[in-house]
Amino acid sequence: MRVAILGGTGAFGRALAQRLAGGDDEVVIGSRDAERAQAAAAELGVEGATNADAIRGADLAVLAVKADAALATAEEIADALGETPLLSVASALQFSKEGVHPDPEARSLAERVAQRVRAPVAAGLHTLAAANLGAAPPEEDALVCADDPRAKELALELAAKLVAGRAVDAGPLASARALEGLTAVIVNVNRRYKAHAGIRLTGLH
Amino acid sequence: MRVAILGGTGAFGRALAQRLAGGDDEVVIGSRDAERAQAAAAELGVEGATNADAIRGADLAVLAVKADAALATAEEIADALGETPLLSVASALQFSKEGVHPDPEARSLAERVAQRVRAPVAAGLHTLAAANLGAAPPEEDALVCADDPRAKELALELAAKLVAGRAVDAGPLASARALEGLTAVIVNVNRRYKAHAGIRLTGLH
């Protein structure tokens, strides 16, 4: 699979590229700035390009920009993306002194991204911390959701390469509301228990 | 601890009562109809009463009615409840042929319950299936959130008695949005994998 990691110079994008580098997949880090992308890519032994160039020929694009840039970036890349499936991984969080709150919007960020592109959109990987991804695959599951079967299949295929646990089909894209909210739960848990928490599902055979 | 399970004649309420019965806690099943409460309670060897009577003397009340009755029941019991901490366990789901969708409301059901009572409100236990609770404590974690420290502490104490895993503090009451959404994820997973899924957090020491 050829995977374009858009906004791949950030912490999660780099960790994702690092986890995939040296495996069977072709990885290209995208950024607004081609030089930044190439610098980050060179460190990890993968390719680097502008976001639009990174998308060309990719089987799956991962929207790995920060939450506050996700909608604008989706608009910017919509034409380059065409029908290439897009995986949304960001969660809009609100920080307060009582703890981290989930996004107060009724619709998930992934659903709002989907309104801005023609491509089929999946959402997932929200419970994977960059810090847990870098080295060996973590003993966690990775949850993915989508309405489009092909976007879901590619996202599950990618997810399965990232974790020692399962890539789990969490249902329709509307489940992104829950998966994005889980990031808030995990950040709260990390603060409370001084941990790098992840998720496993029990009861699957 | 004396626990009042309001709407305790339903599947989850009965499973909760069954799990606690015979332990160190006093359990009273509440219902709108005292006779139904007493009939359900007699089967499980606990007490039964109207919701208002069940609340009297309880340390913690669990709002175990179905999601579509949660807000109306909260209003009905508000006076009887007074300042007794209330644990909201329901999730408003939307069923469609593409799968189960999380509640489309921007605010969680628990936050809307909290607007209807003077009592401090916690939310939790959303990932515990009645089918997994009945017999031995399941090998799962139970997630709880609240703004009020005492409501959170009591809810965590209750949660710890229900599972073989951990009772996990998931942060402020706003986290209920994510926890309630997880019920949709779990129902989707159960359908897809023919499972009775639950959750464990990884990375906690």
Side-chain angles (χ1 to χ4, degrees), chain A residues 25-83:
Chain A
D25 302 295
E26 293 175 28
V27 177
V28 50
I29 285 182
S31 168
R32 278 187 167 172
D33 178 341
E35 285 185 23
R36 282 190 65 197
Q38 283 155 1
E43 281 177 34
L44 300 168
V46 300
E47 298 172 52
T50 62
N51 284 329
D53 285 343
I55 287 164
R56 201 167 300 133
D59 298 296
L60 177 68
V62 180
L63 185 62
V65 297
K66 292 213 166 92
D68 57 9
L71 298 178
T73 304
E75 285 174 6
E76 285 169 23
I77 62 167
D79 286 337
L81 199 60
E83 304 285 335

Side-chain angles (χ1 to χ4, degrees), chain B residues 85 120-122 146-156:
Chain B
V121 172
D147 293 330
D148 180 84
R150 182 152 157 269
K152 184 182 281 188
E153 187 188 335
L154 285 163
L156 285 168

Side-chain angles (χ1 to χ4, degrees), chain B residues 31-43:
Chain B
S31 169
R32 276 187 169 173
D33 178 340
E35 285 184 24
R36 284 189 65 197
Q38 283 156 2
E43 282 177 32

